[in-house]
């Protein structure tokens, strides 16, 4: 993995709030490598959120638009192994020469350099050399620089010379768009309700989302069945996914109903009784707080209420939390049930 994989591009990277800064900084660097103040560019985020995709896209873009520039992509593990071999074989100077000749150096997952002092020393010299010549350096890490324990301070301080941008877990809209793009790429058609079902159910990272899509397509072709929500449910059941802390709207409704000693049906009912209205507003408040559901869809779960009613409920509970001690306590207690 010293080389670029042409499958990663900006075109097939879906933009969302979760990745906007990293993507646009990456694109700016791709258009003007070594010229922007984003040098080095450091992109960090949890596994499976698209770090490798973005930095590979930058490399590919530069390759295509600036054929005279030498772009090198390397994982930090590979870099470390090469360094160790160079030490063993007494070829350290050709190792460093090789890296010092590039125009763009992409080094992935720098957290792996942690504790490897000699590798870091050499990387430090390569970094300085390239930076002085105005060459572009791009890095990724699974955590922000300040949390990179085991990396030398002199390296960390240089990482801060440029721009650091993070990647967050994709929001629902972005997940739906990613699934659609993936299916389009595979030339597969799947109903929107299945896409939404999968997007709601898998909220951790893009790699897992892609894994589910791939199993779904495999299942469908093995069983020669159509891909429907039923099949999606079965597929998901067979895949162990580390789910995020998102809480389902059913759990919220059940818990709130239990707490107030009413029924879920009451929450969904048209009743305007005070003993029902208040719990309903509390449940709506939590639905807004703890799920990714759009207001419209929350309204549907609460017996087909429109989205202005939902907004009103959220507002009134938010205000009551501030002004009414007993409401504050109730919300606090319910929160502890959810955690
Ligand atoms: P990381 O390096 O952060 O662990 P990757 O870059 O390997 O994550 O991404 C995991 C998978 O998810 C890859 O197949 C990648 O193409 C895909 N992916 C991640 N983010 C996006 C996105 N915003 N749009 C499209 N595909 C994405
Ligand atoms: Mg990666």
């Amino acid at each position: 993995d010293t080389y670029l994989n042409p499958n990663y591009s900006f075109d097939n990277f879906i933009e969302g709030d979760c990745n906007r800064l990293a993507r646009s900084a990456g694109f700016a660097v791709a258009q003007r490598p070594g010229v922007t103040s984003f040098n080095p560019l450091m992109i960090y985020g949890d596994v499976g959120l698209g770090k490798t995709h973005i930095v590979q896209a930058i490399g590919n873009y530069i390759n295509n638009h600036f054929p005279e520039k030498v772009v090198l992509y390397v994982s930090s593990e590979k870099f470390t192994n090469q360094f160790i071999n160079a030490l063993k074989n007494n070829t350290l100077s050709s190792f460093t020469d090789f890296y010092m000749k590039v125009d763009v150096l992409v080094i992935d997952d720098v957290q792996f350099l942690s504790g490897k002092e000699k590798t870091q020393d050499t990387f430090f010299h390569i970094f300085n050399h390239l930076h002085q010549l105005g060459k572009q350096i791009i890095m990724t890490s699974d955590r922000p620089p300040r949390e990179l324990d085991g990396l030398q301070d002199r390296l960390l301080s240089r990482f801060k010379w440029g721009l650091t941008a993070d990647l967050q877990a994709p929001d629902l809209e972005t997940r739906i768009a990613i699934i659609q793009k993936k299916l389009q790429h595979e030339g597969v058609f799947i109903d929107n309700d299945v896409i939404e079902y999968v997007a709601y159910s898998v909220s951790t990272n893009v790699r897992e989302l892609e894994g589910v899509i791939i199993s779904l397509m495999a299942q469908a072709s093995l069983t020669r069945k159509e891909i429907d929500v039923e099949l999606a449910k079965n597929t998901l059941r067979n895949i162990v996914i580390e789910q995020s802390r998102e809480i389902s709207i059913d759990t919220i409704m059940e818990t709130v109903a239990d707490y107030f000693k009413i029924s879920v049906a009451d929450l969904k009912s048209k009743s305007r009784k005070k003993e029902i209205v208040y719990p309903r507003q509390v449940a709506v408040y939590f639905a807004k707080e703890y799920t990714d559901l759009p207001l419209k869809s929350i309204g549907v779960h609460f017996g087909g209420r429109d989205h202005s009613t939902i907004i009103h409920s959220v507002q009134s509970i938010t205000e009551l939390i501030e002004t009414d001690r007993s409401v504050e306590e109730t919300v606090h207690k319910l929160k502890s049930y959810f955690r």
Side-chain angles (χ1 to χ4, degrees):
D1 49 356
T2 317
Y3 303 102
L4 291 167
N5 172 346
N7 292 325
Y8 293 114
S9 69
F10 284 106
D11 287 338
N12 62 17
F13 188 81
I14 302 290
E15 190 175 347
D17 288 341
C18 52
N19 60 39
R20 203 173 313 279
L21 175 65
R23 190 213 166 270
S24 57
F27 194 58
V29 162
Q31 288 175 302
R32 296 161 66 220
V35 183
T36 68
S37 54
F38 307 157
N39 198 12
L41 174 64
M42 155 76 97
I43 291 175
Y44 73 88
D46 279 341
V47 62
L49 295 183
K51 300 182 295 292
T52 298
H53 190 134
I54 291 188
V55 298
Q56 286 261 352
I58 299 171
N60 284 317
Y61 188 98
I62 296 172
N63 252 347
N64 295 336
H65 292 78
F66 306 93
E68 75 284 2
K69 290 202 189 288
V70 178
V71 181
L72 188 68
Y73 167 91
V74 67
S75 70
S76 295
E77 284 157 304
K78 184 97 177 189
F79 182 86
T80 304
N81 290 337
Q82 288 176 343
F83 170 75
I84 292 168
N85 283 333
L87 269 187
K88 250 193 257 164
N89 303 331
N90 252 324
T91 52
L92 200 54
S93 65
S94 68
F95 171 81
T96 46
D97 279 355
F98 175 72
Y99 279 96
M100 286 179 174
K101 277 202 196 101
V102 306
D103 296 298
V104 178
L105 176 62
V106 181
I107 177 153
D108 209 354
D109 289 317
V110 293
Q111 73 273 7
F112 286 121
L113 299 180
S114 173
K116 299 179 177 118
E117 296 298 325
K118 283 184 180 157
T119 313
Q120 287 183 43
D121 289 342
T122 300
F123 179 55
F124 181 73
H125 291 304
I126 293 168
F127 184 106
N128 287 339
H129 180 87
L130 293 176
H131 199 276
Q132 254 158 32
L133 294 176
K135 309 295 187 182
Q136 181 71 48
I137 300 157
I138 300 157
M139 297 177 290
T140 75
S141 156
D142 69 350
R143 66 203 78 180
R146 74 188 123 80
E147 289 173 21
L148 280 168
D149 306 328
L151 253 69
Q152 299 167 2
D153 285 342
R154 56 179 190 169
L155 266 176
L156 293 180
S157 76
R158 271 160 180 72
F159 292 177
K160 288 177 200 146
W161 283 355
L163 181 81
T164 301
D166 69 325
L167 290 173
Q168 296 288 334
D171 46 88
L172 180 68
E173 272 183 352
T174 309
R175 299 201 296 274
I176 290 176
I178 288 171
I179 299 174
Q180 284 169 336
K181 185 92 181 179
K182 180 91 186 163
L183 292 175
Q184 192 191 341
H185 179 75
E186 304 287 335
V188 173
F189 177 83
I190 298 183
D191 259 3
N192 269 334
D193 54 347
V194 181
I195 295 178
E196 280 178 24
Y197 177 81
V198 173
Y200 275 122
S201 313
V202 185
S203 54
T204 41
N205 71 50
V206 182
R207 190 167 299 157
E208 280 178 347
L209 199 57
E210 287 184 341
V212 171
I213 301 297
I214 291 165
S215 326
L216 214 51
M217 294 188 303
Q219 279 284 324
S221 79
L222 281 174
T223 58
R224 295 180 188 282
K225 279 193 199 143
E226 262 194 56
I227 304 184
D228 56 10
V229 173
E230 208 45 45
L231 182 66
K233 274 187 190 164
N234 285 326
T235 306
L236 278 168
R237 213 172 285 138
N238 295 326
I239 301 176
V240 188
I241 298 167
E242 198 198 311
Q243 281 298 342
S244 72
R245 284 172 304 149
E246 210 175 283
I247 297 160
S248 81
I249 188 146
D250 293 334
T251 306
I252 290 169
M253 294 177 98
E254 281 161 23
T255 310
V256 173
D258 266 4
Y259 180 86
F260 288 102
K261 302 197 169 41
I262 59 171
S263 69
V264 170
D266 287 331
L267 292 177
K268 297 184 182 204
S269 74
K270 297 263 174 282
S271 170
R272 307 280 223 119
K273 280 191 221 150
K274 197 166 166 253
E275 313 85 272
I276 308 293
V277 173
Y278 170 51
R280 187 187 292 134
Q281 290 188 331
V282 170
V284 168
Y285 169 87
F286 279 115
K288 170 79 176 37
E289 188 93 333
Y290 284 147
T291 73
D292 249 354
L293 295 172
L295 296 175
K296 208 174 121 198
S297 155
I298 294 177
V300 171
H301 279 92
F302 284 88
R305 293 182 152 74
D306 64 23
H307 102 291
S308 65
T309 310
I310 300 303
I311 292 177
H312 174 74
S313 302
V314 173
Q315 276 171 352
S316 83
I317 296 300
T318 308
E319 276 167 27
L320 285 171
I321 292 171
E322 297 288 311
T323 54
D324 186 330
R325 198 57 187 278
S326 80
V327 176
E328 191 208 326
E329 272 172 23
T330 300
V331 169
H332 190 76
K333 223 180 261 164
L334 275 163
K335 265 189 190 164
S336 69
Y337 293 145
F338 292 128
R339 291 289 159 217

